[in-house]
Structure formats: structure tokens, C-alpha cells
Amino acid sequence: MLALMKSLMNSFVGKIIVMIIIAGMAFWGVDQMFAQLRGGIGSNMAAAGSRGFDAVTFDRRVESVIRNINADSEEPVTKPELLEQGVIDQVFQLEAAKLTLLGYADSIGVHPSTDAVVEELKNIDAFKNPLTGALDLDTYRDVLYRSRITQADYEQQLSDDLTMKALRDAAGAAIFPPKTLSGLQARYIGEARNVGWFILDTSSLPEPDAPTEDEIRAYYDENLEALKQPERRMIDVLRMSAEDFLSEVTVTDQEVATVYEASKSERYSEPDTRTYVELMFSSREAARTAFGLLAAGADPASVEGVASRETRTGRRESVSDPLLAEAMFGAGKQSGALFGPAERGHQWLVARLVSVQPGAVFPLEQVEGEIRDQLSRERAAVLLFEKMEALDRAIGAGYPIGQIAEEVGVPLITFAPVDQSGRTREGVALMGLISAGEAFQQAFEIPVGETSNRIDIGEATYLTSPHKVLESYTPEFEELREDVRTGLVRQREANGVQAALDDLTDRIKSGESTLEAEARAANEVVETPLAPITRRTAADSGLPNAAVNSVFSGKEGDVFTFPSRTGDAVMVMQITDITPPSEADMSELAPLANSSLLTSLQTDLDQAMEAEIAATMKLRTNQGTLRAYKATITSDQ
């Protein structure tokens, strides 16, 4: 390549070509520079006005979302999982939308004062000193450190939250629904509707004519596609977990005895019983003083100013207050542990742990099986780890699933042919196969003999491989004769029931018959609710949701039918009358109507305000930076 360049530079034409290349590269670089300037957001991912955030700031926000999700989730989520689920894009959209409001607030000079931020910090319980109840800077910094948030970032978030609250509060301030609208809302809420219904047993309706052989054959010929059996596959499944290796581990009696002796008082004994003193005080100041004295070693009996003093003895389950239970019975709590001051009604509680009485130790014979099982499972888990390495080597070598099973020493299970829902032709769901999750689904995406990806679900690992494929086909008529006959009979029964219900409904609505007359003809009686139904009382009426929706969407005299909760019965219902609320009812409902309208109006105004701000403030986003951020997540997997 260098020789070619040198030969080019030695000729006149070559020099011109090289100059064109250099000029083109320079022009491209300048164009990119101007494009960046035109975007106006530099390295930021998004910007509005003077506000913006870069990839580092956005990543901290994503980390915060992950912590919040995992705090309440049994199975923790990761960034790659959030990326796959589209949550990263949702977080970006939320943060970008927030920037629009914050950028607008900056442009009009709206921002909270330092004192306002400090006052907000004072109201956060997590930052308070348990003894004084006041904001404690050491506690504040410790909580932020454990949450992996810097003080500057947290205070900026708090300031932003106060700013957005101020904008929304300003938009909804001094709103009051107009009297006309309030009256309409009260009338809507207070309107009462009377209904009547009876239950019609559809099994008493005339049975349809049985289909003839010609009709059955015609139905078969007309529905060949619908009668086609789906593709089914016999699937080989390798399932591996620690339980597969329990038989390969040994636990001696001496090992069981050693574990028992080392942990019998903590793990193999009755719960301990503890004695603690509860001191109640009439004021918080008195409780704080007592807490300080007790912390210094004072005897609870010597503390003055006590409104009541009670000594309690019991186990942890006897304490209903979870905070008090943790303070008195938590792991590592010893005599002298303190709790409080905590407000209880109009008094303040301080408690001190007096003594701990260990529970009775279970004999070795009683817990030997539990200890042996635990040790066996721990060792089986270690063996599983070794087997997982062998599994990965076998998968990487491209072994067929049968050989992989031999390598790791677990049985290979072959399941009967199933469709993609995991059901056999007889409709039986094979749960052992369905539990393979994504590995089961992959078995329908790969040819016979190939192996799925390794899929870990809970404590088990799955591999699958198609053993045999049964192609989709339409069974011969003789094979399906009885199934077709049954299906045709059910179709005719359903059509007959619907036709009878339509006819009944038309008779009542037209005035040819009445709800009561139709009920008598069916040997039933018309039922009514205990009181007329309003939109406030509908949930307590006992009627099905579908019936309630129809009651308030229909007109007086309308008739509806709904499947009953029992078998072949149908509910036949009619709206008998609609009564508007009285003037007294309207006055009583006015506060409720105003409240519901106020909420709706404030929501509408908030949306209108945000739309106007979005139109005023140009939100600029850098999709390239967002894509680069997502790429770092993918590359970290």
C-alpha cells in the first residue's frame, strides 16, 4: 500500500488524486463539526433550553431505576434485560420530557431556594436522627452513600422535583368547576336506575335437529383448514439441577454432629424468649431525655416522668409492631438494646431490652435429617457447578443432546408429540416440557438433531432438541366423523340458544310481551335489587360487571342478556325506569361532583400546560449518543 502511495506521489495525476482525497476528508470533518454545532447539545443525550443530561447522568438514572425495581422484586433485573424489554427507551423518554419542563422553568426564572430544598430534606424520615427527630447530616450522607448517589446529584433531583411541582401547582391553582358543569356531574353521579331480571335455563329450550350424514360430510369439506392438525414435535429434554447429583454425595454422621454442635443454639432451638420494658411518656422531649439516660446505662425503674411503665415477656411473634419487634428481637440484639422515641397515639414510647432467655435446643435425632439434607444439597450444588462446566464444553464442541446428557450424567427425557402450546393431540398439557420455557419454544425453531441454547430457569438448566416432526395435516373424514358431528351439534345448539334469546328480547322491547310474562313462561320470578342502582352503589349491587356496564349505557326499556355464573343459564335483564336525582340529592352530591371535576380539570390543565411548554421549548435529542449508550450495555454482557 505504501509503495502504491509513493508511486502516485511521483506523478502529476497521482498528486491531484491525493489532494482530492485530502480535501474530501477535510470537508467531511468540517461538515460533521457544523452538524454538531447545529445540534447544539454537544455530548448531551438530550437538552431543552439551558438544561440537559449526558450519558453518565442518564446511566445514574437507569441505575436508580434498577435499584427501585430490585428492591421489590424476587428476581433481580439487569441492564441488558431492561434494554431488551424496552425500559431503557422509556426511561429516556421520561427524562427527556422532564427536561422540557425544567428548561422552561429556567427560562422564566422558576427555581426553588436553598431554604426550600433544606426544608424538604428536613421532612424526609430516612435522614432524621432517631433520638432528636431532626435532620442529621451524618445520617443524610450515610444514606446517600449506601444508595450510591452523590449529595449534589440528590439535591439537584430534589430541586427539580420542587420545580416541577411548582409549575403544576401554579397551573391548577384557584380552579373551581363552573356551577353548570358541577350540576351535570351531580346529576350523572346521582341518577338512579331500576332493573329487573330472571334466570333462563337454556337447557329447557328445544333441541336442534340432529345433523344428517350428508350435513356432517359437507361441514367437513367446508372446514378442511380449520380441522387441520397443527405441526407437532417429539422433543428430547435435558434438565439439570443440583437434585440430579444428590445421590453422588456423601455426608457422614460426624459431619452432621459437627454442624449441629456449631449452630444448635442459633438454628436448632426453640425461639428465645425476651423481657423488655415499655416506658410511655406524655411528651417527645421527656421521651428523648429518658432515651439518653437509658443509653447511658440508667435503670428503667429510675427514670422519672413516666406516664406508664410495663414489663413484657414473650417471643417475637407476640409483638405486633414490626419496628419494635426488630429492635427487641432482631439478630444480634443483646440486653440493653433500645427503641424509640416513637409516637403511639398521644404518647411517646421508649423500650429497653432487659434479658434474653434462649429457647430449648432440639435433640440431634430430631434435626439430623434436616442437617444431612442441607449438607447434601450444598455439596450437590458444588458438583453441579463442575457439571455446568462440562455441559458448556459439550455444547461448545457441538455434541448432540444425547451425548451431552452422557457427558454430564443426567437422563434424557423424550416427550410425546406436542404442538407449540405444549399439548398433545388429546389436549393433555405436558408441564415437564412446558416448564423448559424458552428452550421448549426453540425446539420448534430448529431442525431435528440440533440443540437449543442453554436456558437457565430458576435452579434448573434446560436443553432441548427436536426428536421427530409430525407435519401439519387434515385427518381423513372417517377419523373425524364423531368429532365433526359433536362440533356441529354444539354449533347448532349455540345458534339455537342465541336465536331464542334474540326473539325473547325483541318481544319484550316491542311490548308484545313483558319481562314478568317471559319469567312465568320459564317458571321463574323476576328479581330486583334492594334499592335502585346509582353509579356510586353499582359496585355493591352484586350484579356482574357486564350487566352494570349495560345498565348505565342503555335506555329505559332496553333488554340485555348475559351468561350466568352457573352452567347453561342466562340472565335476562331489563332497565325498567331511570330517575334523576332530586334537588336535595343534588345538594348532597355537590361536594363529590366538585371534587371529581376538580381532579379532571387539573389533569386537563396539566396536560395543556405541558403541551404548550413542549411547543415553546425545543427538545433536542441525540439518538446517536443513545445508540452508543445501548451498545455499551450490549457489549458488557
Side-chain angles (χ1 to χ4, degrees), residues 550-565:
S550 296
V551 166
F552 288 105
S553 62
K555 304 185 296 293
E556 187 172 322
D558 282 356
V559 181
F560 309 96
T561 59
F562 312 96
S564 178
R565 299 186 179 98

Side-chain angles (χ1 to χ4, degrees), residues 495-529:
N495 291 341
V497 167
Q498 189 58 53
L501 292 176
D502 290 343
D503 186 49
L504 181 151
T505 299
D506 291 341
R507 289 198 304 272
I508 297 175
K509 290 179 68 174
S510 66
E512 178 183 345
S513 182
T514 63
L515 189 70
E516 290 75 11
E518 295 296 339
R520 284 195 299 272
N523 294 319
E524 296 288 346
V525 295
V526 173
E527 300 180 61
T528 58

Side-chain angles (χ1 to χ4, degrees), residues 562-616:
F562 312 96
S564 178
R565 299 186 179 98
T566 57
D568 296 326
V570 172
M571 173 185 282
V572 181
M573 174 181 288
Q574 183 178 30
I575 302 175
T576 55
D577 66 75
I578 301 174
T579 306
S582 65
E583 291 299 324
D585 292 336
M586 294 275 285
S587 299
E588 182 181 342
L589 291 170
L592 179 61
N594 286 336
S595 176
S596 61
L597 280 174
L598 186 60
T599 301
S600 298
L601 289 172
Q602 287 175 333
T603 301
D604 291 344
L605 281 173
D606 283 345
Q607 294 174 350
M609 176 197 70
E610 291 177 11
E612 285 297 317
I613 290 176
T616 302

Side-chain angles (χ1 to χ4, degrees), residues 259-272 274 356-362:
V259 171
Y260 174 75
E261 290 298 330
S263 56
K264 61 183 179 182
S265 59
E266 294 83 12
R267 299 175 58 186
Y268 305 113
S269 63
E270 294 278 359
D272 55 28
R274 303 194 175 194
V356 179
Q357 299 86 43
V361 177
F362 299 124

Side-chain angles (χ1 to χ4, degrees), residues 143-205:
V143 170
L144 294 185
Y145 175 78
R146 285 187 279 110
S147 300
R148 291 181 287 178
I149 303 175
T150 67
Q151 186 172 337
D153 286 342
Y154 182 78
E155 289 172 6
Q156 183 62 57
Q157 291 178 20
L158 199 58
S159 175
D160 290 346
D161 291 342
L162 290 173
T163 299
M164 290 190 293
K165 182 177 184 299
L167 287 176
R168 292 192 172 103
D169 288 349
I175 296 176
F176 194 83
K179 188 174 181 179
T180 302
L181 199 57
S182 178
L184 288 173
Q185 182 71 2
R187 184 177 295 275
Y188 174 81
I189 295 172
E191 180 186 75
R193 299 193 171 208
N194 273 311
V195 296
W197 70 86
F198 71 92
I199 304 301
L200 175 65
D201 183 3
T202 57
S203 64
S204 63
L205 297 175

Side-chain angles (χ1 to χ4, degrees), residues 60-275:
R60 284 199 297 266
R61 178 56 181 154
V62 172
E63 291 285 354
S64 176
V65 170
I66 292 174
R67 284 195 300 272
N68 292 337
I69 293 175
N70 290 341
D72 301 319
S73 176
E74 294 182 0
E75 293 190 10
V77 298
T78 62
K79 278 186 191 176
E81 290 173 337
L82 293 186
L83 177 61
E84 183 179 349
Q85 296 166 10
V87 177
I88 299 295
D89 287 323
Q90 294 175 21
V91 175
F92 180 79
Q93 291 168 4
L94 289 172
E95 292 300 304
K98 187 193 299 183
L99 272 186
T100 307
L101 295 178
L102 295 174
Y104 178 77
D106 273 3
S107 70
I108 61 174
V110 173
H111 56 81
S113 65
T114 302
D115 290 342
V117 175
V118 172
E119 285 301 316
E120 191 68 19
L121 288 173
K122 290 179 180 179
N123 294 326
I124 300 175
D125 292 338
F127 302 149
K128 293 180 180 178
N129 184 302
L131 182 60
T132 64
L135 173 65
D136 184 86
L137 292 181
D138 291 334
T139 303
Y140 170 52
R141 295 188 185 102
D142 181 61
V143 170
L144 294 185
Y145 175 78
R146 285 187 279 110
S147 300
R148 291 181 287 178
I149 303 175
T150 67
Q151 186 172 337
D153 286 342
Y154 182 78
E155 289 172 6
Q156 183 62 57
Q157 291 178 20
L158 199 58
S159 175
D160 290 346
D161 291 342
L162 290 173
T163 299
M164 290 190 293
K165 182 177 184 299
L167 287 176
R168 292 192 172 103
D169 288 349
I175 296 176
F176 194 83
K179 188 174 181 179
T180 302
L181 199 57
S182 178
L184 288 173
Q185 182 71 2
R187 184 177 295 275
Y188 174 81
I189 295 172
E191 180 186 75
R193 299 193 171 208
N194 273 311
V195 296
W197 70 86
F198 71 92
I199 304 301
L200 175 65
D201 183 3
T202 57
S203 64
S204 63
L205 297 175
E207 293 186 5
D209 295 335
T212 65
E213 285 298 315
D214 290 341
E215 290 172 331
I216 295 173
R217 179 68 200 208
Y219 184 88
Y220 172 84
D221 292 337
E222 293 168 2
N223 294 276
L224 290 176
E225 193 63 30
L227 294 171
K228 183 178 288 187
Q229 290 291 315
E231 176 190 295
R232 290 188 171 87
R233 295 192 175 198
M234 294 178 65
I235 299 174
D236 295 329
V237 177
L238 182 153
R239 181 188 184 278
M240 188 170 73
S241 68
E243 292 183 353
D244 293 309
F245 308 108
L246 287 173
S247 60
E248 300 182 26
V249 300
T250 302
V251 178
T252 66
D253 293 341
Q254 182 58 47
E255 290 170 329
V256 172
T258 300
V259 171
Y260 174 75
E261 290 298 330
S263 56
K264 61 183 179 182
S265 59
E266 294 83 12
R267 299 175 58 186
Y268 305 113
S269 63
E270 294 278 359
D272 55 28
T273 301
R274 303 194 175 194
T275 300

Side-chain angles (χ1 to χ4, degrees), residues 405-419:
E406 292 177 3
E407 290 285 328
V408 297
V410 297
L412 188 66
I413 304 173
T414 301
F415 285 86
V418 295
D419 58 22

